[in-house]
Amino acid sequence: DAGVIQSPRHEVTEMGQEVTLRCKPISGHDYLFWYRQTMMRGLELLIYFNNNVPIDDSGMPEDRFSAKMPNASFSTLKIQPSEPRDSAVYFCASRLGGRQGGGYTFGSGTRLTVV
Amino acid sequence: KNQVEQSPQSLIILEGKNCTLQCNYTVSPFSNLRWYKQDTGRGPVSLTIMTFSENTKSNGRYTATLDADTKQSSLHITASQLSDSASYICVVSADDMRFGAGTRLTVKP
């Protein structure tokens, strides 16, 4: 298995533009998580899905952020319009089984820079 | 206030030396505690996972300890190598996952 695959690895965009981050979880994993990491705040959970259904999106900072999981092998995180304060590394992670047990596998992340 | 506090914030050691990283938490109820290693530009990779009843767990040169009474965990790295240079993140799971800010370890030759 190639692990959790995220694209793009790096994204530089201008303020106000729409940004779409993509994630392919490990095949068979039924939980998918989106995290954001900054120097100031560390890793923050944005949203997670179970069997393609959004379970908890309380970490999504505001309405400019949205996430979808149209099928078990693909998820997107969209920011529209983007702002400089959205600059961070966005990680996708997946796991099998309940949310508390087992291990998470993280993707390599997407480094987003909004100028 | 973050419910998972890690110390030190950063650490520099010489290759071959041992070191210990600390994690104190106030998360309750407690389900499990994980230590992750995150190399620069990469996603976190799990090193150990411990449940309430476990006191210690090893993964090669990495040994994690847990005292659920005092809500403290440590990660001990033995005979450090240059490749150990990374951020080490403590994650405590209760109803959700709480991340520590991490300890940035630099191993110098």
Side-chain angles (χ1 to χ4, degrees), chain A residues 39-52:
Chain A
M39 289 292 290
M40 292 294 293
R41 300 173 68 90
L43 271 164
E44 302 173 281
L45 176 64
L46 300 177
I47 185 172
Y48 79 93
F49 296 82
N50 177 216
N51 291 322
N52 315 336

Side-chain angles (χ1 to χ4, degrees), chain B residues 3-109:
Chain B
Q3 293 180 295
V4 181
E5 298 286 345
Q6 290 189 241
S7 62
Q9 189 174 36
S10 62
L11 181 64
I12 300 174
I13 62 173
L14 293 177
E15 185 179 14
K17 298 296 186 182
N18 304 335
C19 68
T20 300
L21 314 180
Q22 298 290 342
C23 175
N24 296 339
Y25 63 94
T26 59
V27 178
S28 182
F30 168 85
S31 177
N32 59 60
L33 185 148
R34 301 182 177 97
W35 282 94
Y36 283 88
K37 177 186 178 187
Q38 185 176 18
D39 292 309
T40 300
R42 307 296 297 272
V45 174
S46 180
L47 293 176
T48 64
I49 177 171
M50 289 185 292
T51 60
F52 181 88
S53 60
E54 295 178 291
N55 300 119
T56 185
K57 184 164 284 188
S58 292
N59 178 1
R61 295 180 297 102
Y62 300 99
T63 299
T65 64
L66 173 64
D67 186 334
D69 292 330
T70 61
K71 296 186 177 180
Q72 296 180 327
S73 176
S74 65
L75 181 69
H76 186 74
I77 304 174
T78 304
S80 61
Q81 300 176 357
L82 299 179
S83 59
D84 293 332
S85 295
S87 289
Y88 291 83
I89 303 171
C90 175
V91 184
V92 181
S93 293
D95 294 331
D96 57 14
M97 294 171 69
R98 302 284 176 166
F99 289 82
T103 292
R104 178 68 200 175
L105 174 66
T106 302
V107 180
K108 292 193 170 183

